[in-house]
Amino acid sequence: GESVGLHLPTLSVQEGDNSIINCAYSNSASDYFIWYKQESGKGPQFIIDIRSNMDKRQGQRVTVLLNKTVKHLSLQIAATQPGDSAVYFCAENPRGSYIPTFGRGTSLIVHP
Amino acid sequence: NAGVMQNPRHLVRRRGQEARLRCSPMKGHSHVYWYRQLPEEGLKFMVYLQKENIIDESGMPKERFSAEFPKEGPSILRIQQVVRGDSAAYFCASSPPLTSNNEQFFGPGTRLTVL
């Protein structure tokens, strides 16, 4: 859940567990959504995207779910590995805009 | 195919000095975006450029900050008379000529520290 103050929300899981990272977006006009992974000291790395005409999209070990009714996006990571430890950001693109708006991020910590 | 390159990776400046951050987009990419990231926060859009054109600078502070993407050479983000509040990580991203999606590829960032 949400943490107090300025710290990033944090999700701690055991290696091998499934992880679910959630994101609430604000703009009902957004039609393109992206999940990024950012490891410490590095730039964001594209993981998976989804357009608003879809509810679900699967990649390798990752699944993105989109619920437009409640403006909610989630990223599911199967069989989480220590290498998945990073900060995960969702980003939304309003229709007609090429400038994404990033969420605050969730820190995923995977314990071996 | 090299990814987005940024230099320097770390930059230390004293208050009042100028900071120049460089970004070379991926080969074939003609669109560049600059973002700023404060610790434990998401990326905040600053400016979007194409070759020799500023397309959207709505996220750029009105004073001291400027950006360019010349016909030849890297994109430059310039911060004049830096202040401590400018300390942050600055990321550049690039994308190919626009399609229906807009996947942006990020560089490793420049971490600016103002003393």
Side-chain angles (χ1 to χ4, degrees):
Chain A
E2 290 291 328
S3 59
V4 176
L6 298 177
H7 299 293
L8 284 175
T10 299
L11 175 65
S12 290
V13 301
Q14 289 296 129
E15 182 178 0
D17 287 352
N18 296 332
S19 302
I20 300 176
I21 300 171
N22 297 304
C23 176
Y25 65 93
S26 56
N27 191 340
S28 56
S30 293
D31 67 348
Y32 178 56
F33 304 86
I34 314 152
W35 279 101
Y36 286 95
K37 171 187 180 183
Q38 186 176 25
E39 296 176 271
S40 181
K42 296 184 178 180
Q45 177 187 2
F46 173 91
I47 302 173
I48 191 168
D49 60 359
I50 189 168
R51 297 206 69 86
S52 59
N53 60 354
M54 301 173 69
D55 297 323
K56 178 179 180 179
R57 190 160 187 230
Q58 287 186 287
Q60 187 177 17
R61 279 203 307 120
V62 294
T63 301
V64 55
L65 299 176
L66 175 63
N67 185 331
K68 295 179 287 293
T69 303
V70 295
K71 291 189 282 188
H72 183 268
L73 197 66
S74 69
L75 176 71
Q76 300 178 1
I77 305 174
T80 315
Q81 302 167 2
D84 295 326
S85 294
V87 177
Y88 290 81
F89 294 96
C90 66
E92 57 176 309
N93 269 44
R95 191 172 298 114
S97 171
Y98 295 100
I99 308 301
T101 300
F102 284 81
R104 194 163 154 239
T106 295
S107 176
L108 175 65
I109 299 171
V110 182
H111 300 282
Chain B
N1 186 8
V4 177
M5 297 170 65
Q6 290 187 248
N7 68 81
R9 295 292 309 276
H10 300 273
L11 182 61
V12 179
R13 285 287 178 265
R14 296 191 179 280
R15 282 180 298 169
Q17 291 184 319
E18 179 180 285
R20 279 184 179 242
L21 288 63
R22 295 174 190 80
C23 169
S24 296
M26 285 181 70
K27 188 175 181 180
H29 287 193
S30 54
H31 300 252
V32 165
Y33 311 79
W34 285 95
Y35 296 85
R36 177 162 63 179
Q37 185 179 37
L38 295 172
E40 298 206 342
E41 291 193 10
L43 282 76
K44 302 294 186 193
F45 167 75
M46 299 180 73
V47 61
Y48 162 36
L49 309 105
Q50 295 177 23
K51 288 279 188 183
E52 300 184 282
N53 278 310
I54 296 175
I55 306 303
D56 185 336
E57 55 181 348
S58 58
M60 192 97 98
K62 294 288 186 285
E63 297 178 351
R64 301 187 300 107
F65 285 72
S66 62
E68 62 177 9
F69 189 15
K71 188 176 180 181
E72 301 291 337
S75 175
I76 306 285
L77 178 68
R78 182 184 179 204
I79 311 172
Q80 296 178 286
Q81 299 174 330
V82 295
V83 301
R84 289 218 173 103
D86 297 331
S87 295
Y90 292 84
F91 289 97
C92 165
S94 72
S95 67
L98 296 175
T99 60
S100 57
N101 292 342
N102 185 32
E103 183 181 342
Q104 298 182 10
F105 296 82
F106 283 83
T110 293
R111 277 146 188 86
L112 172 65
T113 302
V114 180
L115 301 177

